């Protein structure tokens, strides 16, 4: 991880994770085991070859750089989902993340899931969602990590397919009479020529059901700032989304920063994901600037840790701590901000804030 070790302070800091794709936590070991269990062929002859495939940077985008024959990041990520077939597979993936979260002192998480990736393969919504729901319940009991999950629309697939997926998932939503697995919808995958407003109808449906809304505005993509503009000012009948995932290009235009601040829309940032593409002395001054700005809240997350050099939330926090030159008290404040940005219920938020207060008295 760029030579940084996780310090005892960052390891012990109580954490909240709001931007992690559950499919982006699939370890090579679990992928290998599930491929065998489900007779899914992998394009790697040996486990070492599979491990090696995780070392690639996946920096190029076909629309921008042309097809160089290598898979893009998202192609690699979706290839990983092929080994997930049975309810137990989804359960084990969820439990593996929540156990790892416990080990990193993550107390609460809001993992994304891509149901839409499985339905075209003939996997029933119930198979996926019952597996994740068992993990949600057991992970809270066994590991003490509470979670509310987020269903993402896959934005480079047809909008109507996303809406049909939402309808299939609805019984597992946190709505009256629902199972309570997920409490929000998001927007992920390739945003090239797929702005947030295309999904207005889908977001309106979820909002009417009382769910929260968030959307990816990935960093330095084509039209990134325009997508942020739509997410703040246009979506949901002009009310705007409740949160933006990434959204770092808001720094490019003053009206975007003003919009985030005035509407109280926070950013879930994933510093290591950007550090793969931006130099240290370019990226971290931007985060430092965002830290010093009044009014725009943000928090630190991992995104897709197993496909991003195995850097998890603790590694992402260590980078911000070290390269932004923040104090211990600043890092506690970032954890506090994550609690406030989260959609945990008020009781849990109060408990987490109390724990952070005790931690600050003892460790800062
Ligand atoms: N889905 C999973 N990981 C993603 C990422 N890093 N960007 C956009 N969509 C994603
Ligand atoms: Zn993401």
């Amino acid at each position: 991880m760029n030579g940084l070790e996780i310090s005892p302070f960052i390891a012990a800091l109580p954490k909240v994770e709001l931007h992690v794709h559950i499919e982006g936590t699939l370890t090579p070991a679990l992928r290998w085991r599930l491929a065998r269990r489900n007779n899914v062929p992998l394009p790697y002859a040996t486990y070492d070859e599979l491990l090696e495939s995780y070392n690639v940077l996946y920096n190029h985008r076909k629309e921008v750089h042309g097809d160089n024959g290598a898979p893009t990041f998202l192609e690699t990520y979706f290839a990983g989902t092929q080994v997930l077939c049975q309810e137990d597979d989804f359960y084990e993936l969820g439990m593996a993340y929540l156990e790892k979260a416990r080990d990193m002192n993550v107390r609460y998480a809001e993992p994304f899931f891509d149901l839409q990736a499985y339905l075209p393969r003939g996997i029933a919504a119930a198979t996926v969602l019952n597996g994740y729901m068992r993990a949600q319940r057991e992970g809270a009991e066994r590991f003490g990590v509470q979670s509310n999950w987020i269903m993402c629309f896959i934005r480079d697939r047809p909008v109507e397919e996303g809406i049909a997926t939402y309808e299939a998932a609805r019984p597992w939503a946190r709505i009256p009479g629902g199972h309570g697995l997920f409490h929000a919808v998001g927007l992920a995958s390739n945003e090239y020529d797929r702005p947030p407003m295309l999904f207005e109808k889908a977001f309106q449906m979820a909002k009417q059901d009382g769910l929260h809304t968030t959307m990816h505005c990935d960093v330095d993509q084509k039209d990134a700032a325009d997508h942020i503009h739509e997410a703040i000012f246009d979506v949901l009948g002009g009310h705007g989304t409740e949160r933006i995932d990434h959204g770092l290009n808001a720094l490019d235009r003053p009206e975007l920063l003003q919009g985030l601040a005035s509407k109280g829309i926070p950013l879930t940032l994933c510093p290591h994901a950007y550090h793969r593409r931006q130099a240290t002395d370019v990226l971290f001054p931007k985060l430092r600037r965002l830290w010093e700005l009044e009014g725009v809240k943000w928090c630190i997350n991992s995104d897709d840790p197993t496909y991003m050099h195995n850097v998890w939330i603790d590694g992402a926090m260590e980078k911000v701590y070290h390269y932004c030159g923040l104090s211990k008290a600043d890092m506690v404040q970032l954890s506090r901000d994550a609690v406030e940005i989260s959609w945990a219920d008020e009781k849990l938020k109060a408990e987490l804030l109390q724990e952070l207060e005790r931690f600050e008295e003892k460790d800062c």
Side-chain angles (χ1 to χ4, degrees):
M1 197 195 63
N2 302 94
L4 287 185
E5 294 280 324
I6 312 285
S7 59
F9 167 75
I10 291 295
L13 177 63
K15 302 170 185 70
V16 160
E17 176 143 68
L18 305 178
H19 186 158
V20 59
H21 300 263
I22 197 68
E23 292 89 351
T25 69
L26 178 64
T27 58
L30 183 57
R31 187 167 163 196
W32 185 256
R33 188 159 65 73
L34 296 183
R36 295 193 144 204
R37 175 151 101 191
N38 295 320
N39 286 319
V40 175
L42 289 177
Y44 312 102
T46 62
Y47 182 66
D48 283 344
E49 274 182 38
L50 172 64
L51 269 185
E52 185 56 32
S53 77
Y54 279 68
N55 285 333
V56 184
L57 278 172
Y58 307 113
N59 259 348
H60 72 284
R61 291 162 219 171
K62 285 185 179 157
E63 301 87 351
V64 182
H65 306 113
D67 188 349
N68 68 1
T72 62
F73 170 80
L74 285 167
E75 283 170 347
T76 306
Y77 164 93
F78 283 111
T81 66
Q82 295 290 321
V83 302
L84 294 154
C85 304
Q86 313 173 46
E87 186 182 310
D88 275 352
D89 305 341
F90 296 98
Y91 163 76
E92 286 172 32
L93 176 63
M95 286 300 274
Y97 167 68
L98 292 169
E99 184 172 14
K100 172 85 187 167
R102 187 268 321 267
D103 293 345
M104 296 184 294
N105 284 308
V106 173
R107 302 284 187 259
Y108 173 74
E110 297 187 1
F112 296 117
F113 61 88
D114 283 341
L115 176 62
Q116 211 173 331
Y118 307 103
L119 304 187
R121 269 202 282 135
I123 298 173
T127 302
V128 180
L129 301 178
N130 284 336
Y132 287 152
M133 194 168 73
R134 267 205 287 140
Q136 177 196 38
R137 310 245 154 119
E138 250 185 67
E141 272 169 34
R142 274 178 50 191
F143 308 132
V145 182
Q146 312 281 326
S147 60
N148 286 306
W149 296 46
I150 303 175
M151 193 201 93
C152 284
F153 298 112
I154 299 187
R155 72 202 298 164
D156 46 349
R157 308 269 319 167
V159 177
E160 290 308 321
E161 185 189 280
I163 289 174
T165 304
Y166 176 67
E167 280 165 348
R170 234 176 137 259
W172 284 265
R174 202 153 94 177
I175 55 175
H179 298 307
L181 169 67
F182 67 101
H183 67 168
V185 293
L187 188 60
S189 198
N190 187 352
E191 71 184 84
Y192 190 90
D193 282 347
R194 303 294 284 170
M197 277 303 280
L198 279 180
F199 289 82
E200 177 69 358
K201 184 174 163 201
F203 278 102
Q204 291 272 8
M205 284 174 74
K207 194 79 195 169
Q208 266 167 21
D209 280 337
L211 301 191
H212 297 289
T213 60
T214 185
M215 44 200 71
H216 276 59
C217 294
D218 221 330
V219 177
D220 294 345
Q221 302 283 323
K222 180 168 103 52
D223 306 323
D226 293 336
H227 290 184
I228 297 171
H229 191 284
E230 281 191 16
I232 298 172
F233 299 106
D234 300 334
V235 298
L236 292 159
H239 290 288
T241 180
E242 288 171 70
R243 265 185 353 215
I244 292 178
D245 303 303
H246 304 305
L248 194 59
N249 290 93
L251 286 166
D252 301 347
R253 292 192 197 160
E255 95 272 8
L256 299 179
L257 290 175
Q258 278 157 18
L260 292 175
S262 66
K263 291 193 166 203
I265 300 172
L267 307 177
T268 66
L269 299 181
C270 304
H272 174 69
Y274 322 143
H275 202 195
R276 296 175 309 153
R277 295 184 173 138
Q278 295 188 28
T280 304
D281 59 357
V282 172
L283 172 62
F284 292 96
K286 289 184 198 168
L287 299 180
R288 178 87 213 188
R289 193 178 146 216
L290 208 51
W291 174 247
E292 281 161 9
L293 269 178
E294 288 291 309
V296 180
K297 269 208 168 66
W298 54 279
C299 60
I300 301 171
N301 306 272
S302 64
D303 211 4
D304 298 287
T306 53
Y307 295 100
M308 295 177 173
H309 317 111
N310 219 23
V311 175
W312 298 72
I313 186 172
D314 52 357
M317 285 189 158
E318 191 69 45
K319 286 191 170 195
V320 172
Y321 182 41
H322 184 82
Y323 293 122
C324 288
L326 296 188
S327 67
K328 287 181 174 175
D330 292 336
M331 296 307 294
V332 175
Q333 185 57 40
L334 274 167
S335 257
R336 228 180 246 129
D337 289 347
V339 173
E340 274 154 19
I341 294 167
S342 83
W343 298 312
D345 65 39
E346 291 307 317
K347 182 169 168 286
L348 179 58
K349 280 189 179 186
E351 284 167 14
L352 294 172
L353 291 173
Q354 275 168 18
E355 183 182 2
L356 282 166
E357 204 167 306
R358 289 194 300 274
F359 179 82
E360 189 168 27
E361 278 166 17
K362 190 166 61 72
D363 290 85
C364 288

